[in-house]
Amino acid sequence: MTAVCLLSALTAAGPAAGEPAGERAETLSPAGQGTDPFPGSQPGPESRRAPGALYKQVLDTLGPQRLTAEQRRITARKEAAAAAWSRRPAVRAQRAGYVVSGGLHQSQQTSYWCGPAALVITQSAHDEVRGRSQRAAADLLETDSRGTAWYGVGIDVAKPTGYPMADALNHRLPGANYVPRPLPYSPTSADVANFRRHIVHNTDYDYAIAGNAWEVPGGPHLAGHPNIEIFHWVAIDGYNSDTDARQVRYLDPVGGVSTSMISWAGGVPKSAKISADAITTIMGGRGYVW
């Protein structure tokens, strides 16, 4: 595994924090399932297995994840709002090309500070503050040389949930109501449709999404990333309105990093576009904060 961001692979199950979420994302009732505002076939969950899914399932050390009761309530409200927003054709017809919330890129300052960099980039999409301290973000996230956890770390905020990125964003952006969205190892087409709804909702309300990538050999990778196992945080801050968010834009903290820090960084762009299907697959086994 590369040293870009490792902790999400290594962290054991976190403290119980409310009702158990059970089987990853499947326990979070997807809003609009069966009435997806994004047209297209919706094969069942067993219709495909994402490249690398079995690898992730066999090697994952992350225990069962739990959402708090409050996170579950907020998720239900946001799902309903996102579904309603995506069904407003008059609003969507006014869009053309890529719509972005406008995150301000920062290159990560150590090989394992992708999480802190993604935090300040995601935050900047809403408040437009440039140049925040990654050191302060790393302290808040409790990032160490293993990286930034997806789950299992209770950071120093008023009501920690075990999801440090979600807790940090809510601490820094009061009222944003960020919630984690765990994904199965092999995300389904319904998971992809949900992600498309979520990125439209967040972007149109001027918020970015923090995505926790788990790239594996033989599976899809982010632009410029080598065909090795990589745990990584990125900020997803836009979508292609011409294709109903079938493509999205993300900001990669590795972009602009010296090759003396990360040997393969030279080919990584600061921003890139990727299909919603590919990035959802890449986040399989971890998830995103929206």
Side-chain angles (χ1 to χ4, degrees):
M1 292 183 289
T2 184
V4 175
C5 280
L6 297 181
L7 187 55
S8 49
L10 303 173
T11 305
E19 301 173 7
E23 293 295 327
R24 306 277 177 172
E26 286 89 337
T27 63
L28 304 177
S29 300
Q33 191 165 358
T35 58
D36 183 8
F38 299 103
S41 61
Q42 293 289 306
E46 301 304 323
S47 63
R48 69 169 188 173
R49 178 173 288 275
L54 182 59
Y55 176 93
K56 292 180 179 182
Q57 183 175 354
V58 170
L59 295 183
D60 198 2
T61 61
L62 186 67
Q65 302 172 54
R66 297 172 175 86
L67 297 185
T68 67
E70 180 63 15
Q71 283 176 324
R72 295 175 74 85
R73 285 191 292 268
I74 293 171
T75 295
R77 290 198 301 268
K78 292 189 72 172
E79 292 282 14
W85 181 253
S86 66
R87 288 194 294 265
R88 296 180 63 183
V91 173
R92 295 170 67 196
Q94 297 172 11
R95 308 285 193 261
Y98 272 84
V99 180
V100 298
S101 54
L104 303 173
H105 183 270
Q106 283 194 31
S107 300
Q108 62 189 78
Q109 294 170 355
T110 76
S111 64
Y112 52 88
W113 274 10
C114 62
L119 170 59
V120 298
I121 296 169
T122 302
Q123 182 181 357
S124 73
H126 185 70
D127 64 17
E128 301 180 357
V129 175
R130 185 182 299 274
R132 278 196 176 87
S133 165
Q134 290 186 30
R135 166 61 70 185
D139 290 344
L140 176 61
L141 290 166
E142 299 192 14
T143 301
D144 61 19
S145 60
R146 296 171 297 168
T148 301
W150 161 250
Y151 177 70
V153 173
I155 66 172
D156 187 16
V157 295
K159 295 181 179 179
T161 67
Y163 290 93
M165 186 63 74
D167 290 345
L169 284 167
N170 286 326
H171 175 72
R172 290 186 162 200
L173 294 171
N177 290 321
Y178 272 98
V179 287
R181 181 71 176 201
L183 290 170
Y185 300 115
S186 188
T188 67
S189 55
D191 291 314
V192 177
N194 286 332
F195 170 72
R196 288 164 54 204
R197 238 186 322 268
H198 298 164
I199 187 59
V200 169
H201 177 270
N202 271 42
T203 303
D204 287 358
Y205 281 92
D206 203 31
Y207 289 96
I209 284 175
N212 194 196
W214 184 357
E215 302 169 278
V216 296
H221 280 66
L222 301 172
H225 288 214
N227 187 33
I228 59 176
E229 185 173 23
I230 302 170
F231 289 90
H232 191 46
W233 284 97
V234 297
I236 308 165
D237 78 333
Y239 65 93
N240 186 348
S241 65
D242 294 338
T243 63
D244 283 332
R246 285 183 171 86
Q247 292 82 35
V248 299
R249 188 183 91 149
Y250 68 92
L251 302 174
D252 192 333
V254 174
V257 169
S258 169
T259 55
S260 63
M261 181 189 299
I262 298 173
S263 61
W264 45 267
V268 178
K270 293 181 178 180
S271 68
K273 296 166 183 174
I274 190 171
S275 73
D277 183 87
I279 199 163
T280 304
T281 298
I282 288 170
M283 295 185 295
R286 290 300 178 264
Y288 56 93
V289 179
W290 72 292

